Amino acid sequence: MTNSYKRLHDGRDKLDRLTDLPINVIHQIQEHMTIEDATRMSVLSSKWRHIWASNPKLIISADFCRKGKQSSTTDIINRVLLHHYGPIKTFLLDLSIINPSKHSVIDLWMLHLSRNGLVDLTLRCLEHLNTPYKLPSSVYGVELEHLNLSNCIFRPPCRFRGFQKLKSLSLNRVSFQLDVATSFLCVPNLLDLMFTQCSGLHHLNIYAPELLCLKFCNCGIDTIKWISFKDCRKVKFFAVMPQQEVSQNGQHEALNLVKLLSSLPEVRALILDGCSLKFLASSDVARRLSTMLNHLVNLEFYLFDFNDEDQICSLLCILRSCLNLKLLNLLYRDANLTSFSLYYLELSRIKNGSRKVDLNQLKGQGCRIDELNNLQTLGIHRFHGSKVELRFVRLVVASAPILEKMTINVDEEVSERKATKISKIIGVFAYSRSALTQLICQKHQP
């Protein structure tokens, strides 16, 4: 056998191995490509010629037809759908690549998909100024399992009673247009629900008895204040970050978080921001919440301001209501909700309506937090070493007999000399506790 013949034979073997890949593997490969690149794969083998047209997952993102003109985009998508055979279970469309004058064409695509086995629908729009897309009636009749909407108008028909098979629902900049007949949303199998910058939820009533994760992010106060849940007692993860300040003259309109928290008896992870704490303070809470959060083990606060007495008082109130808390984090940065299967947020810092902290709030036997007997981990981000911050750390350390790990991240604006001083002071607090096994006190790296 000559060397040239051997090389040719080896090449055929490699081609055969490529040709004989299972169709589901080929589909997975094509999912990481644009539709144009997937169609070009047809030249590799006659077997691959039409495989792209049977992929049950269609991704039409912002880079779709990036070399072509926008006016031809809808025509190309039309041809893709026309040539596709088999079910389309997952469909993602970036609305920003479609001219608003062509929204009626999208309606036809939704009608086609509704008859073709669709279970996972994502309509996203990265352009905030684009005209919102109004969901057609065909979407409300699909037995979806996952729905992700961005910059859309949600106005269901009168006959709509909910999505019976829906498991996850993410709504970003969605405008609800509801009336009495369409205000009830029945999602009996929903596990994950997230609202981001949504509006028009004044009359929305949600029935979600299996809900586990509930998040309100960067929504107005109306979103959280008026929405009604018929049953959400199984919620394990709850996040409220409204990014809306409470004015001292309008606290009677503030969100009553006490009532909302009392309806979540099994919550295990809770994320709040500085605005949420000010809402809580405006509801005239006592030493602790009216309902104990006995299942809560993970508590995180974002954009926490140690110079705001309302936030300090609300924080102490919540801590006294958590008998089994194991982890406490006070962070300056925005919450990374994708770690809980969902999203990134960018929140602005609270500047107005803050009251200076009275140091007497954080000293004396009356301020001891006896409920921190199970706390194991404490983390504070962007620490400045103020008297309030140091007194708070001392209070927590004194109240947590089994505290094992403490991480203090000193702000980068703090001088090296002061950072060293902070580390020594924290060390004196920390090592007075025999249970502490790990202390990290370091300067934040931007």
Side-chain angles (χ1 to χ4, degrees):
M1 182 181 296
T2 64
N3 290 337
S4 59
Y5 178 80
K6 185 176 181 179
R7 285 196 299 270
L8 178 62
H9 182 74
D10 291 342
R12 286 177 177 174
D13 285 345
K14 292 179 180 178
L15 180 61
D16 289 340
R17 286 195 294 270
L18 187 64
T19 303
D20 292 336
L21 283 174
I23 190 170
N24 64 310
V25 175
I26 300 174
H27 283 161
Q28 291 177 12
I29 294 173
Q30 292 178 341
E31 287 171 8
H32 297 279
M33 304 177 176
T34 64
I35 293 178
E36 298 155 293
D37 291 337
T39 56
R40 293 191 185 103
M41 289 180 65
S42 61
V43 302
L44 297 177
S45 166
S46 59
K47 182 180 177 180
W48 286 38
R49 184 164 299 165
H50 301 292
I51 284 183
W52 71 270
S54 64
N55 196 324
K57 187 174 184 179
L58 279 182
I59 307 297
I60 303 176
S61 57
D63 59 357
F64 179 79
C65 300
R66 56 189 179 275
K67 297 179 181 179
K69 297 180 180 180
Q70 188 186 57
S71 58
S72 64
T73 300
T74 54
D75 294 333
I76 296 174
I77 298 175
N78 279 331
R79 289 199 294 271
V80 169
L81 292 175
L82 178 64
H83 286 87
H84 191 281
Y85 61 92
I88 300 177
K89 294 185 176 298
T90 300
F91 184 75
L92 183 151
L93 173 64
D94 193 323
L95 296 172
S96 61
I97 66 174
I98 307 297
N99 192 298
S101 64
K102 300 289 186 178
H103 279 182
S104 59
V105 179
I106 304 179
D107 294 348
L108 297 177
W109 300 340
M110 294 299 105
L111 179 61
H112 173 73
L113 293 169
S114 68
R115 300 168 176 173
N116 211 13
L118 185 66
V119 295
D120 188 339
L121 174 62
T122 297
L123 299 176
R124 70 185 186 191
C125 183
L126 303 179
E127 301 293 335
H128 288 250
L129 298 179
N130 272 26
T131 302
Y133 170 65
K134 181 181 177 182
L135 292 178
S137 59
S138 59
V139 172
Y140 299 101
V142 183
E143 294 186 340
L144 294 170
E145 295 182 7
H146 306 279
L147 179 59
N148 189 328
L149 300 178
S150 175
N151 199 34
C152 292
I153 296 176
F154 191 94
R155 188 176 182 178
C158 293
R159 64 181 182 277
F160 178 69
R161 290 297 177 267
F163 295 104
Q164 301 301 310
K165 295 185 178 181
L166 199 65
K167 296 178 181 178
S168 68
L169 177 60
S170 179
L171 304 168
N172 179 20
R173 290 182 288 116
V174 172
S175 175
F176 283 76
Q177 297 180 2
L178 307 172
D179 52 32
V180 176
T182 60
S183 62
F184 184 73
L185 179 60
C186 180
V187 277
N189 292 296
L190 189 67
L191 303 176
D192 199 332
L193 174 60
M194 184 173 186
F195 294 97
T196 304
Q197 290 183 291
C198 295
S199 61
L201 299 175
H202 295 70
H203 305 291
L204 182 61
N205 295 280
I206 297 179
Y207 175 69
E210 301 299 320
L211 191 63
L212 298 178
C213 298
L214 175 60
K215 287 139 285 189
F216 295 99
C217 306
N218 200 13
C219 298
I221 186 173
D222 289 345
T223 302
I224 313 168
K225 183 176 181 180
W226 297 110
I227 192 171
S228 174
F229 289 90
K230 297 302 181 184
D231 186 358
C232 58
R233 297 180 62 83
K234 291 187 178 181
V235 170
K236 298 295 189 296
F237 171 71
F238 183 46
V240 178
M241 284 170 287
Q243 194 189 3
Q244 179 172 340
E245 299 176 7
V246 179
S247 65
Q248 293 180 345
N249 296 326
Q251 291 187 354
H252 62 282
E253 298 177 353
L255 168 68
N256 188 345
L257 266 180
V258 178
K259 181 178 179 181
L260 192 54
L261 289 172
S262 66
S263 66
L264 308 173
E266 297 185 17
V267 64
R268 295 179 60 83
L270 177 62
I271 290 183
L272 301 174
D273 68 351
C275 296
S276 301
L277 289 175
K278 293 184 74 65
F279 291 149
L280 182 60
S282 71
S283 62
D284 194 24
V285 296
R287 178 177 171 80
R288 57 171 56 89
L289 298 176
S290 58
T291 301
M292 297 295 287
L293 304 175
N294 292 327
H295 293 275
L296 191 67
V297 296
N298 188 341
L299 181 60
E300 298 190 357
F301 296 96
Y302 289 82
L303 299 175
F304 185 80
D305 187 355
F306 275 102
N307 295 317
D308 189 331
E309 185 175 5
D310 286 338
Q311 294 190 39
I312 291 289
C313 291
S314 297
L315 172 60
L316 295 177
C317 172
I318 293 177
L319 291 179
R320 295 189 185 104
S321 307
C322 308
L323 295 175
N324 297 298
L325 189 66
K326 294 182 180 180
L327 183 147
L328 172 63
N329 276 330
L330 304 177
L331 307 175
Y332 170 76
R333 299 177 62 185
D334 55 303
N336 180 1
L337 296 185
T338 50
S339 61
F340 300 94
S341 74
L342 306 155
Y343 227 64
Y344 285 96
L345 302 174
E346 193 64 36
L347 299 175
S348 62
R349 193 165 192 176
I350 301 172
K351 297 180 180 179
N352 302 321
S354 300
R355 293 185 293 148
K356 287 292 183 178
V357 177
D358 181 0
L359 289 178
N360 292 324
Q361 293 271 357
L362 297 172
K363 70 179 182 179
Q365 289 297 321
C367 290
R368 183 178 174 84
I369 312 175
D370 296 323
E371 291 78 10
L372 295 183
N373 291 326
N374 292 299
L375 188 67
Q376 299 175 6
T377 303
L378 170 66
I380 302 180
H381 187 73
R382 294 290 181 88
F383 198 82
H384 290 85
S386 68
K387 291 182 179 180
V388 176
E389 291 172 315
L390 292 172
R391 191 156 290 176
F392 176 80
V393 172
R394 187 172 185 175
L395 171 64
V396 172
V397 170
S399 304
I402 65 170
L403 185 68
E404 298 177 354
K405 180 180 179 180
M406 182 162 57
T407 302
I408 306 296
N409 197 315
V410 181
D411 191 276
E412 69 266 17
E413 295 180 358
V414 175
S415 66
E416 291 292 343
R417 181 177 179 181
K418 186 174 181 179
T420 302
K421 183 178 179 180
I422 291 173
S423 181
K424 291 180 179 179
I425 296 174
I426 296 295
V428 172
F429 296 161
Y431 290 115
S432 64
R433 313 299 295 177
S434 58
L436 194 72
T437 59
Q438 185 177 4
L439 171 63
I440 302 174
C441 187
Q442 61 187 10
K443 200 165 182 179
H444 173 72
Q445 301 297 325

